[in-house]
Every structure is written in C-alpha cells, then in structure tokens.
Amino acid sequence: MGYKVVVAGATGNVGREMLNILAEREFPVDELAVLASRRSLGTEVSFGDKTLTTQDIDTFDFSGWDMALFAIGSDATKKYAPIAAKAGCVVIDNSSLYRYDPDVPLIVPEVNADAIHGYSKKNIIANPNCSTAQMVVALKPLHDRAKIKRVVVSTYQSVSGSGKEAMDELWDQTKAVYNPTSEIKPKVYTKEIAFNVIPHIDVFLEDGSTKEEWKMVAETKKIVDPAIKVTATCVRVPVFVGHSEAINLEFEDFLDEDEARDILREAPGIMVIDKREDGGYVTPKECVGDFATFISRIRQDSTVENGLNLWCVSDNLRKGAALNAVQIAEVLGREVLKKG
C-alpha cells in the first residue's frame, strides 16, 4: 500500500523536478494528482513513463490525500496550504512562508529528521532555502565533532534559483553579446547577468544585508544550532543550474583537515572530491542531475583559531528544493504515516 500524493505547481522548474525525483527514487505512490493555476490548466507533465494532466488547484479537494508537495510560491501557499492541511493532507512547502514559524518544522533530513514529529501542530513542514540546504548538510557532521562557533559563507548562486524567466534572461543576454544588433535589457535582475555577477539576491534589509543572506542565518540557526554565528554574502552568477559556496568555519575545538575530510566522506548526502591537483574539485556544471552535495577544497585556515575552509556545490533544483522535499516525504512516510 502506497500514498496518495499531490504535487502543486507541477508545471514549474521545481514541480517538474519533484515529479522526476518521486519517479527516480521509486516513492510508493498509489495515486498522484498534479495541480497548477488556471493559466497552466490542462498542461501535460511527465511522471516516469506516465503523462499526467494538471488539475485546477482552486477547485481541488485535498480530502483523503496523504501529502502535498507545494512549489507555488509564498502568496499562493498562503491561500492553499491551510486548505490542504485542514483537509488532513500534510503539506511539504518549498516556499519561504512557513520556514520561520515556530510551529512548523524546517527540515533537512540528513541534519534534523527527528523534527518531523512537530508537523502535527499545523500539518505543514517547511523546506529550507536552497543555499541553506546544501550548506547545513556539510555543517552538521562537523558541528557534531568539534562544535562550530562561526560561519562565513559566500555563495555563487545559479539563475535557476530565480525560475524559468531568469534562465531565459541569461540565455538571451548571452546570445545578444555575440550579436551587436541585439540588446536584452534586464527584467528579472537589476543588472545584466550574462558575463557578470550580481551581489544582490532578494530585497535589501535595513542593516544592508539582503533577505537571502538573512535566510541563511536564520535557517542555519533553526536547523543546526541557534548558537552558531553566521554571516553570508549571496551572489548571483551566470550559471544555469547549481549553487556553489565558499565556506569558512571556526570551531570551538581543533579539527584537523584530514579528520574533517574523513567525517564528511562518511556523512549522509555528501560526496567528497578533494584532490590537490588540476580538476580535483567539483564545479556546478558537474553536479547537475545528481542527488549529492559535493565538498572540495578542504583545508585549514591558519588566520583564526580552529579554522577550516571548504567548497560546497549542489544542484539547487534537487537538494535545494525538489530532492529535499521528496526526502522529507520519505521520512514522513517512514516515521509517521507508515503506509508505504
């Protein structure tokens, strides 16, 4: 016996990836409903070797469905998530709406799967921000060994984190560079993204940080440890898929780089590729389509006491969004619903 599963936002980048991963991981699905807004109503999407037609989220009855994976943005989630939850369908939400709600668990299964049992307060579970998800997978096993005091992270985030229109904008602007008669003005971003980097993701806050940077701070504290100090600089780069992060860690206790490498090799969800030679590291292009979070460039930082540097790369549409949501669904099924 399997689960009755809903995917809301099934025509978007993340929604389609959720369907791909549900099929790839052979999630025990008895029945699957794919939902979209009326604008995308009737669009066909793939689930394994099946083709499904989207239904109208406005008129869909969530009663009798076990879980719903939401990839519809905060505004729509605010409307539909309470409806689904009230009907007894557990919502796994990919938006930022519920991440900071104390009554909603924020989960990365490799890090804090035990938090799943807090879902019942609102029948909602939150998926973290893509840049946070891959980072905390790397932080947790190291924190368990030597206790992290401070994190300094600089991100190199792909345009797919902003959706399909952003990917189109990068593609069109890149082509326009080679065609002197074409000029594609920025629409999604504040400046041209082709052959450029933009140190601005989400809105600016009063302290000068951006909301993306604030998210990394708040979510790391909620998922790993509220005592960890985090400072982030988040940058959009002209890469289609795959987020990269340069992470500097300061520990309470000394942690040798060789031991850190061994710890990460044994940690769930991580692949260490760290050779001190040309190409002995992973770039975002190489991580696309993979489930793992890749760690490279592990080395001591002698400028602080008990310091370590590392390079972290992951497919943001997978670990940063769709994969993490499906992994949450797996934990929910295994630990709570126990049907599959």
Side-chain angles (χ1 to χ4, degrees):
M1 185 167 64
Y3 297 96
K4 294 182 68 175
V5 179
V6 177
V7 175
T11 59
N13 283 348
V14 174
R16 290 178 186 272
E17 198 65 24
M18 285 173 171
L19 292 170
N20 289 338
I21 294 171
L22 284 167
E24 283 178 35
R25 292 173 74 91
E26 298 181 345
F27 188 84
V29 176
D30 258 4
E31 192 174 345
L32 180 65
V34 289
L35 310 184
S37 64
R38 286 183 181 168
R39 184 183 60 185
S40 302
L41 196 60
T43 302
E44 292 186 339
V45 293
S46 297
F47 173 62
D49 57 2
K50 297 177 182 177
T51 300
L52 306 173
T53 303
T54 55
Q55 302 178 52
D56 187 353
I57 193 171
D58 265 325
T59 58
F60 186 78
D61 183 2
F62 288 92
S63 301
W65 293 83
D66 294 305
M67 60 183 78
L69 280 60
F70 271 45
I72 55 176
S74 293
D75 290 342
T77 297
K78 190 174 184 179
K79 178 179 179 180
Y80 298 110
I83 294 171
K86 189 176 180 181
C89 178
V90 182
V91 174
I92 300 169
D93 177 35
N94 195 60
S95 81
S96 62
L97 183 64
Y98 292 105
R99 288 175 188 160
Y100 317 106
D101 187 326
D103 291 333
V104 174
L106 178 65
I107 293 178
V108 175
E110 296 94 336
V111 179
N112 64 336
D114 289 348
I116 197 82
H117 298 285
Y119 86 96
S120 57
K121 292 178 181 177
K122 288 193 173 178
N123 237 22
I124 297 170
I125 302 165
N127 210 27
N129 187 40
C130 49
S131 51
T132 306
Q134 68 187 69
M135 183 172 77
V136 297
V137 169
L139 296 191
K140 181 60 164 62
L142 300 177
H143 183 64
D144 287 345
R145 161 62 181 82
K147 198 162 188 185
I148 297 168
K149 290 169 56 178
R150 182 169 184 256
V151 179
V152 181
V153 57
S154 298
T155 72
Y156 308 77
Q157 294 178 227
S158 66
V159 296
S160 57
S162 303
K164 184 180 181 301
E165 288 182 358
M167 297 175 78
D168 291 342
E169 184 159 295
L170 172 57
W171 176 246
D172 292 338
Q173 287 179 354
T174 301
K175 289 189 294 182
V177 168
Y178 296 101
N179 184 353
T181 63
S182 297
E183 183 184 2
I184 307 295
K185 293 187 180 296
K187 292 181 181 178
V188 176
Y189 297 117
T190 55
K191 299 195 178 190
E192 182 174 301
I193 186 61
F195 300 92
N196 200 14
V197 297
I198 304 172
H200 175 193
I201 300 178
D202 213 322
V203 297
F204 277 98
L205 305 178
E206 284 187 12
D207 67 354
S209 62
T210 63
K211 194 170 182 183
E212 183 82 359
E213 292 156 357
W214 175 84
K215 288 174 187 175
M216 292 195 75
V217 176
E219 292 174 21
T220 300
K221 288 176 175 288
K222 184 172 180 179
I223 296 167
V224 182
D225 186 338
I228 294 177
K229 295 179 179 179
V230 182
T231 182
T233 300
C234 294
V235 182
R236 193 70 72 186
V237 297
V239 170
F240 284 107
V241 178
H243 287 356
S244 306
E245 297 170 348
I247 304 172
N248 176 264
L249 302 172
E250 187 177 353
F251 297 89
E252 285 195 5
D253 301 316
F254 177 75
L255 179 59
D256 178 76
E257 62 186 40
D258 292 326
E259 185 183 355
R261 199 173 286 110
D262 290 341
I263 289 169
L264 291 169
R265 280 199 178 105
E266 296 299 319
I270 289 176
M271 181 74 71
V272 174
I273 297 179
D274 186 21
K275 296 180 180 179
R276 293 175 177 179
E277 60 187 43
D278 292 353
Y281 43 80
V282 174
T283 61
K285 187 174 181 180
E286 296 161 284
C287 80
V288 175
D290 208 298
F291 289 139
T293 294
F294 292 89
I295 306 295
S296 308
R297 303 294 318 282
I298 302 165
R299 61 205 188 279
Q300 306 292 161
D301 174 11
S302 60
T303 67
V304 294
E305 192 173 359
N306 305 331
L308 206 66
N309 288 302
L310 54 87
W311 174 251
C312 176
V313 177
S314 191
D315 182 332
N316 57 293
L317 295 179
R318 292 206 149 203
K319 186 55 195 167
L323 171 61
N324 201 74
V326 173
Q327 287 177 305
I328 292 171
E330 290 170 346
V331 175
L332 180 68
R334 185 171 64 248
E335 299 295 327
V336 180
L337 303 181
K338 298 180 180 179
K339 284 173 63 176

